[in-house]
Structures are given as structure tokens and as C-alpha cells.
Amino acid sequence: MTVGEAILAGEAQLSAAGIESGRLEVEMMLAQLRDEPRLQLWIRRDEPLTPGQGEKLRDWLARRTSREPLQHILGWAPFLDFELYVTRDVLVPRPETETLAQLAIARLGGVASPRVLDWGTGSGCLALAVAKAVPVAEVHALDLSPDALRIARANATAYRLADRIRFHQGDGFESLAAHGDTAALRFDLIVTNPPYIPAAEVETLQPEVRDFDPRLALTDGADGLGCYRRLAAEAPIWLKPGGWLLAEFGDGQSPALIELFGQAGWSIEGVEKDLSGRDRVLIVRAPVCD
């Protein structure tokens, strides 16, 4: 089978499985298998695949037909200018979260030697984005899952940022308490993409998300607002006066979050939309703590 024939056959197979971007995904598979840019594939469309390439492509197409995410098959996911290692232990980074990262980075521009916390780091995408864009920042990343932290550390090492990020394993802010005086570890900014899918909606998600992303990263097992309630109550003592909290949230959750944080004394700076025009990021500033 030639490269061109493989693209057409693979596209037909994925389209039959309900995958709309079949052509692009087959091209990405072949580009990785052949270790060449996608644009080269059609230039070399008459070249035959090696037996090994053909066998691997058949395996990958079968996995993708079962709706395993392409990112898991390839072993990486794009995020800003990173290619991050991902497995079933972490949420696959989404384009929406790139908006969150960029908003966080923008607010650190005028802060001297800022200290930043990525609350629920997962793959480490937010922590890495901040560490790379703001070299003077002291970045901390925490997660309940030791497996997720293993992935995040691997990504930090791959991009030579491991010495810029301090990782903490544990249940939220409790993982920071072991470091002693809270006042000595206050942050200028907390950024988070917490689990926000209501439990009742999980079964309606696309198979790639429902069956392959870790449930711990998708839902709090209730109404999807549990982590925000915790952040509204617990985060103020971990932020410097006037410090920011930027949080990604789900469709339709904006009014409830504005009310929740407002009642807890936070200053509501605004809600930002993602690239699709949906409300996606809540920006609040810490209430004054004694």
C-alpha cells in the first residue's frame, strides 16, 4: 500500500466510525510513523509503506475506530507551543485551556518575581506555560493523583523546566500545608482547570472523553461546582492581598460561579470567552484576609 492509498483508506475507515477529521488524523499518524512533516506525505504519496509502518497504522486505526483519543495513540497532545506527553492518567489538554494559560500569563507581566500555583495540574500544561513565558516566576503545581504528577514531571523534564516547578502531591491545599507557614507561601496568582462536569452529564460526553479521560479530572461526582466552593473558601489565605484566581469552567456555570465567589467576598474582575465564543474563564481577586 502506498502513502496516498493509506490516507484514503484510513480516512474512509475513520469516517465510517463517525470521526469527522479522519483525513487529518490519518495524516498525523503517518507523519509520526514516517518521521516526516504532514506536507511531505502527498509529495511522496506514491511511496510504499514498509511492512512495519503498515502494521502499525492498522493497529492505530483500529484503536481510533474504537474511539480511543488520537492523543493517546500518538502519545502526545499540542498545547500552545508544546507537544505534551499524555496517557489515560491525565486529561488531554484542550484548546479552551490555552485561553486560560494566556490570560494568566498576561496578568503576571507587571508582577516582580511572581509566585504562581497550578491547582490540579494534570499533564502540567498550565504550569509549563507559565514557567516558560514568565522566567522569573516561581511556579508550584499540585495534584491529587500521583500518576498525573508523574506525567507532569516528565513533561517538565522534556522541556527543561523541571527546576522551575515545584510539584506537590495531595488533596488540594493540604498538600502545601506541610511546607509550614502559610504566609511564607502565598501566591500572586492561582490558575486552575478543575473537574467541572456535573456527574449527571458524564455519560453524554463524547466517547473519547467519557471512556478515556480520568473521571477524577472530569467531575466532582456531584453538580460540578464542588471544587469552586472549595477554592472560594480555602484559596484566600493562600493568595497575597489582591491576588488573582483564574478558573476554567463549563457551559452555563458562569452565573452560579459569580454568585458563589461574590458571596464569599471575592472581587469579580470578569468572565472571558474561549475561542469559540463561550464563557470559559472566571477571573476574581482575593478578599482581604486577616
Side-chain angles (χ1 to χ4, degrees), residues 3-21:
V3 170
E5 290 169 342
I7 292 173
L8 295 176
E11 180 184 10
Q13 182 176 340
L14 295 184
S15 296
I19 297 168
E20 296 180 358
S21 55

Side-chain angles (χ1 to χ4, degrees), residues 165-179:
I165 303 172
R166 294 173 62 183
F167 293 97
H168 309 268
Q169 191 273 316
D171 188 6
F173 294 108
E174 293 177 9
S175 64
L176 302 176
H179 293 268

